[in-house]
């Protein structure tokens, strides 16, 4: 598949805008604040959570930049699947990702953390998060969709779609392909 130069430029520009942050607090302090519910920069998603279901038993925390619109679209996708989410805008988003064990080569614009402590990095389809949470691999810390693939949940652009892989993140820092998404329909 040939990817247009301008699509790559657009994706990099979006990623750069989503990753803007100015570190002033340590990532550890931000994670501790979030765990205790005392984070200074909190934002409700502004949408009603979906009716209670298997995913709504506890709130998932999403770390994101306040300037990233695609993160909000991904949150709506997740809420539509029954997840309850709360957003926070940490000053040191990269530090949070490092603290959570997310390697730079598998990062995206937002990071969700489940009540069980699993991390979900980037534009992962809700159905794959549901599948993971129903039966998490023993050595896993979570899943990632590196970058910002066009057409993934939250990155919709008409009928444009770029195949992508969902990566399994392991405790030892290694990764493996959890799922390959080759068509728009495979996401739902």
């Amino acid at each position: 598949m040939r990817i247009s130069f301008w699509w790559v430029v657009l994706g990099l520009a979006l990623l750069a805008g989503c990753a803007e942050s100015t570190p002033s607090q340590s990532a550890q302090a931000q994670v501790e604040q979030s765990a205790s519910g005392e984070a200074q920069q909190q934002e409700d998603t502004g949408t009603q959570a979906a009716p209670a279901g298997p995913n709504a038993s506890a709130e998932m925390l999403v770390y994101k930049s306040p300037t990233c619109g695609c993160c909000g679209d991904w949150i709506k996708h997740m809420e539509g699947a029954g997840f309850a989410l709360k957003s926070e805008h940490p000053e040191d988003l990269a530090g949070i990702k490092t603290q959570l064990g997310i390697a730079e080569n598998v990062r995206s614009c937002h990071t969700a953390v489940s009540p069980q402590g699993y991390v979900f990095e980037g534009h992962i389809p809700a159905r794959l998060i549901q599948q993971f949470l129903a039966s998490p691999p023993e050595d896993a810390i979570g899943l990632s969709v590196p970058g910002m693939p066009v057409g993934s949940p939250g990155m919709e652009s008409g009928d444009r779609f770029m195949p992508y892989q969902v990566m399994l993140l392991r405790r030892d820092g290694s990764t493996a392909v959890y799922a390959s998404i080759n068509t728009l329909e495979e996401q739902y």
Side-chain angles (χ1 to χ4, degrees):
M1 178 179 165
R2 188 173 160 218
I3 299 173
S4 166
F5 169 78
W6 292 111
W7 281 112
V8 172
V9 170
L10 175 63
L12 292 173
L14 289 170
L15 186 56
C18 290
E20 288 180 5
S21 64
T22 307
S24 70
Q25 284 188 310
S26 74
Q28 179 64 36
Q30 294 239 342
V31 170
E32 288 172 3
Q33 280 183 325
S34 297
S36 66
E38 299 175 3
Q40 295 174 348
Q41 295 183 356
Q42 295 181 358
E43 174 198 39
D44 290 331
T45 60
T47 60
Q48 292 292 326
N55 308 318
S57 60
E59 213 168 55
M60 193 177 289
L61 179 60
V62 180
Y63 296 104
K64 68 181 201 67
S65 167
T67 62
C68 190
C70 65
C71 298
D73 291 342
W74 179 80
I75 288 171
K76 290 175 188 172
H77 164 76
M78 291 289 289
E79 289 176 336
F83 285 93
L85 301 167
K86 181 176 92 174
S87 298
E88 289 190 9
H89 303 134
E91 292 179 20
D92 186 8
L93 186 56
I96 295 280
K97 292 171 188 282
T98 299
Q99 182 69 32
L100 293 169
I102 303 167
E104 288 185 23
N105 65 322
V106 294
R107 290 185 183 176
S108 185
C109 55
H110 59 267
T111 305
V113 181
S114 74
Q116 302 88 354
Y118 293 111
V119 297
F120 300 100
E121 179 71 9
H123 295 270
I124 305 164
R127 75 169 186 84
L128 293 177
I129 294 175
Q130 292 166 334
Q131 177 181 309
F132 177 94
L133 289 172
S135 183
E138 191 172 310
D139 63 343
I141 65 166
L143 299 174
S144 172
V145 170
M148 300 168 69
V150 174
S152 61
M155 288 294 298
E156 292 88 354
S157 179
D159 62 352
R160 293 197 161 110
F161 178 79
M162 181 171 63
Y164 62 95
Q165 293 181 322
V166 178
M167 304 304 293
L168 176 69
L169 306 178
R170 295 190 174 121
R171 284 191 185 103
D172 66 3
S174 66
T175 61
V177 175
Y178 183 79
S180 292
I181 307 296
N182 296 306
T183 67
L184 187 64
E185 296 75 23
E186 288 179 12
Q187 301 180 106
Y188 306 102

